[in-house]
Amino acid sequence: MADDVYSYVKDALLKPPRNSPLLLRMVVLTFSMVCGVYICSICLKQSSANSAGRLLNVQVVRPCEKPYVEPSERRFIHFPKPETFNRAECACNPVRFFAILSTQRSGSGWFETLLNSHINISSNGEIFSVKVRKSNISTIVETLDKLYNLDINTSASKNECTAAVGLKWMLNQGLIQHHDQILEYFNRRGVSLIFLFRRNLLRRMISILANSFDQNAKLLNGTHKSHVHSSHEAEILAKYKPTINATMLIPSLKQVEQMVTEALGYFKSTRHIVLYYEDIIKNRTKLLDVQDFLKVPRMELSSRQVKIHRGSLSSQVENWADIEKTLKGTPYESFLRSDYEM
């Protein structure tokens, strides 16, 4: 029976009747269509699988788009890519670079703590107080690159969304020595400068002499502190009254003035702001000017530091009569008078 059926089908497919060519054509066409659909379906599945595999391996990296700013401001906008951590969702938050240029005992430590009380500002201290970092221009540039790439970790470091990062740089820490190369770096990298100086250089000298004395004497329970956070500690340090060399007083004041003048001249082509310690003491709105300069949101800034030397200068120097006699009738006579109350 099976053989009969097979013979019938075989005859139907291979030996159609002469009068049924249409049936044969329909059978062949149907068979071809079924085979074609089957082959196409297999090819599509393989193609889809390969495409999916390729898509899984593709990572789309979208470059950060700079927010709209005036053309003159564009070079001050940066998007650091630190090697030591991932900025995560803050990767496209712009960062501005700055440097505080100052001289020792000019209030720069206090000023920097004020800036660091702002959630979006990170000022990393005197990183060039470390000798190896300022040994030559190559190490200076290397250190600056690391700092502005957010790869220097200090107590001032903020979270990934820091909007302004900088340092405190004393004029005698390689800054004047390599001023040409550093000026080129500042302008090339779009670094904004904050000059912070002290008007009354006599007060600065008293602070320097007192701080130098305490480095050896260590009046606070055998510990030297350049800055204090309590009135009690400030009173202990303020008890020391230095004796100033009256003969060298005016030459010393002139030397500091010259260094400040040179720094302002060397870096005048940068984007900068000039501040004086006394002005900030008397007018705290100056801190709003600084925040506007750094393009960060305005906030109330605070510091835990307590001023050491208060009141009249005559009570802070051992040989006040000599100092008074030396400075009277000179361009520095105004230093003898109280310039602020605090």
Side-chain angles (χ1 to χ4, degrees):
M1 181 67 181
D3 292 339
D4 294 340
V5 172
Y6 173 76
S7 298
Y8 175 79
V9 173
K10 182 178 179 181
D11 292 340
L13 292 175
L14 300 179
K15 297 180 179 180
R18 292 180 182 179
N19 58 354
S20 303
L22 180 61
L23 177 62
L24 176 61
R25 291 174 183 174
M26 289 297 295
V27 171
V28 173
L29 178 61
T30 302
F31 181 77
S32 300
M33 291 176 62
V34 171
C35 291
V37 171
Y38 176 74
I39 293 172
C40 289
S41 65
I42 293 176
C43 292
L44 287 174
K45 288 181 180 180
Q46 291 179 345
S47 177
S48 299
N50 291 335
S51 299
R54 285 195 298 270
L55 289 174
L56 289 175
N57 293 326
V58 173
Q59 294 182 351
V60 179
V61 179
R62 296 181 179 178
C64 294
E65 295 183 4
K66 293 183 179 181
Y68 176 77
V69 293
E70 295 297 326
S72 60
E73 288 284 310
R74 289 174 186 170
R75 65 190 179 101
F76 301 105
I77 298 294
H78 308 279
F79 298 91
K81 296 180 181 179
E83 298 178 0
T84 54
F85 70 95
N86 188 344
R87 293 190 75 205
E89 69 275 8
C90 301
C92 289
N93 283 30
V95 178
R96 289 177 178 263
F97 301 160
F98 71 89
I100 305 167
L101 307 190
S102 187
T103 57
Q104 283 83 358
R105 312 308 294 179
S106 294
S108 59
W110 168 72
F111 177 74
E112 190 175 43
T113 60
L114 288 169
L115 292 188
N116 278 325
S117 69
H118 194 293
I119 192 172
N120 300 123
I121 302 177
S122 178
S123 190
N124 294 270
E126 291 182 46
I127 63 174
F128 288 112
S129 61
V130 180
K131 188 175 181 180
V132 66
R133 290 175 176 170
K134 59 181 178 182
S135 57
N136 55 64
I137 189 60
S138 296
T139 58
I140 288 175
V141 169
E142 181 182 348
T143 302
L144 288 174
D145 283 342
K146 188 175 181 180
L147 169 80
Y148 291 130
N149 201 46
L150 307 182
D151 280 323
I152 286 187
N153 186 23
T154 71
S155 59
S157 297
K158 298 293 195 302
N159 58 33
E160 297 83 355
C161 291
T162 293
V165 61
L167 73 155
K168 185 174 65 168
W169 200 346
M170 301 296 104
L171 300 186
N172 62 351
Q173 292 176 344
L175 191 62
I176 299 298
Q177 181 183 356
H178 303 286
H179 62 86
D180 285 332
Q181 298 96 323
I182 294 171
L183 171 63
E184 187 278 331
Y185 181 92
F186 284 160
N187 284 328
R188 174 169 52 86
R189 296 298 309 275
V191 180
S192 300
L193 303 186
I194 301 173
F195 290 101
L196 177 64
F197 301 119
R198 200 158 186 167
R199 293 188 186 278
N200 194 324
L201 299 180
L202 180 59
R203 282 187 177 271
R204 174 182 176 272
M205 181 177 289
I206 294 171
S207 181
I208 287 176
L209 293 173
N211 185 64
S212 179
F213 172 79
D214 189 64
Q215 286 179 343
N216 296 318
K218 295 180 174 59
L219 299 176
L220 298 175
N221 298 322
T223 303
H224 167 63
K225 290 186 178 181
S226 295
H227 308 286
V228 297
H229 296 140
S230 74
S231 298
H232 175 67
E233 291 177 326
E235 289 173 3
I236 293 175
L237 295 181
K239 287 180 180 179
Y240 171 71
K241 297 180 180 182
T243 298
I244 298 176
N245 186 334
T247 304
M248 294 301 299
L249 177 56
I250 290 181
S252 297
L253 296 176
K254 285 183 177 180
Q255 184 180 16
V256 177
E257 273 189 335
Q258 182 179 357
M259 182 169 58
V260 169
T261 301
E262 285 181 352
L264 290 172
Y266 290 148
F267 300 105
K268 64 182 179 181
S269 65
T270 62
R271 179 178 182 269
H272 65 270
I273 183 173
V274 181
L275 302 171
Y276 289 92
Y277 172 74
E278 292 85 352
D279 296 342
I280 300 174
I281 291 289
K282 292 186 292 186
N283 183 6
R284 295 299 287 270
T285 60
K286 290 289 183 181
L287 296 175
L288 297 179
D289 296 338
V290 176
Q291 294 176 71
D292 292 343
F293 178 73
L294 294 177
K295 308 294 184 182
V296 296
R298 287 185 172 188
M299 290 181 59
E300 183 70 27
L301 306 183
S302 60
S303 173
R304 293 179 55 239
Q305 284 192 14
V306 176
K307 184 172 175 56
I308 296 173
H309 297 98
R310 299 170 176 268
S312 64
L313 282 172
S314 59
S315 64
Q316 299 172 24
V317 181
E318 190 66 35
N319 59 333
W320 179 250
D322 295 336
I323 302 307
E324 210 171 18
K325 181 180 178 180
T326 301
L327 295 185
K328 276 192 174 180
T330 72
Y332 307 108
E333 183 176 356
S334 61
F335 293 167
L336 297 171
R337 296 187 291 272
S338 179
D339 46 15
Y340 59 88
E341 297 294 334
M342 182 178 178

